[in-house]
Amino acid sequence: MYTFRLQAVLDHRQFVEDNLKKELAEIRQQAMAAEKALEQMENKERFTAEALKSEQASGLSSDHVTAYHSYLRRLSDRIVAQKTLIVTIENRIGRKQDEVLEAMKKRQILEKLKDQGLDRYNQMMVRKETNFIDEIAVNQYARKALNRHGKDE
């Protein structure tokens, strides 16, 4: 039975890779949530601007107009901050993808070593079986030869 000497290392590398993939998935979920929040803010900004236009057409007081503009400015600042957050999250995704790729490469190197070792083991077993079969054939031939020589005398 073949046993890979570095199996514990391979298992550890697989564990590290799985954890990195999990972390990447969590960061991607954060990115999706941030995108959704941005979309909601942009929709709110658009609807508020439309509400301001329609109320201005019906004669809105200057206090209300000032309040609308103040709210729209704060909303615009939040949108800029949200876009910055999204860029930061996307950078984290890129770095985590690089980490996952590196972990995959390290694991694949060990898997190749394991496969090569298994191939060598299988070749050795085939050679042993072939030698055993050859030995049996030689012994049978020798017995038959002895039996024939013993009967001839």
Side-chain angles (χ1 to χ4, degrees):
M1 183 74 178
Y2 176 70
T3 54
F4 183 50
R5 292 182 301 130
L6 299 173
Q7 187 63 45
V9 177
L10 178 59
D11 292 343
H12 175 71
R13 288 193 179 168
Q14 182 67 55
F15 177 76
V16 168
E17 180 183 338
D18 292 343
N19 282 341
L20 289 171
K21 285 180 179 179
K22 201 179 305 178
E23 291 172 11
L24 178 60
E26 289 170 1
I27 295 171
R28 283 185 173 151
Q29 285 180 335
Q30 291 173 4
M32 287 174 30
E35 290 281 350
K36 186 175 180 179
L38 175 64
E39 185 180 334
Q40 290 172 345
M41 285 182 219
E42 288 173 340
N43 287 339
K44 192 179 286 186
E45 182 183 43
R46 190 171 37 258
F47 292 136
T48 303
E50 289 172 7
L52 174 61
K53 284 182 185 178
S54 69
E55 289 193 30
Q56 277 180 325
S58 63
L60 189 64
S61 72
S62 64
D63 289 344
H64 283 89
V65 171
T66 304
Y68 265 107
H69 282 292
S70 176
Y71 176 72
L72 285 171
R73 232 184 341 270
R74 285 192 314 270
L75 196 53
S76 177
D77 291 344
R78 286 179 52 208
I79 287 172
V80 169
Q82 190 69 16
K83 286 180 180 178
T84 303
L85 175 65
I86 289 171
V87 168
T88 302
I89 292 172
E90 287 173 352
N91 289 337
R92 284 178 53 208
I93 288 173
R95 287 192 304 272
K96 194 58 69 173
Q97 284 175 331
D98 291 343
E99 288 179 41
V100 168
L101 187 61
E102 188 63 31
M104 287 174 64
K105 286 178 184 177
K106 288 180 178 182
R107 176 190 48 82
Q108 288 171 346
I109 288 170
L110 281 180
E111 284 183 346
K112 285 181 184 178
L113 284 174
K114 181 178 180 178
D115 290 343
Q116 290 171 354
L118 182 60
D119 287 344
R120 283 192 302 272
Y121 174 79
N122 287 336
Q123 290 170 359
M124 181 186 69
M125 292 306 291
V126 166
R127 275 195 306 273
K128 282 185 177 183
E129 287 176 18
T130 303
N131 290 342
F132 181 70
I133 291 170
D134 289 347
E135 187 178 325
I136 290 173
V138 167
N139 287 341
Q140 285 177 346
Y141 178 77
R143 253 187 242 119
K144 285 181 185 177
L146 281 174
N147 287 338
R148 270 188 267 139
H149 287 293
K151 289 181 182 176
D152 291 342
E153 293 180 22

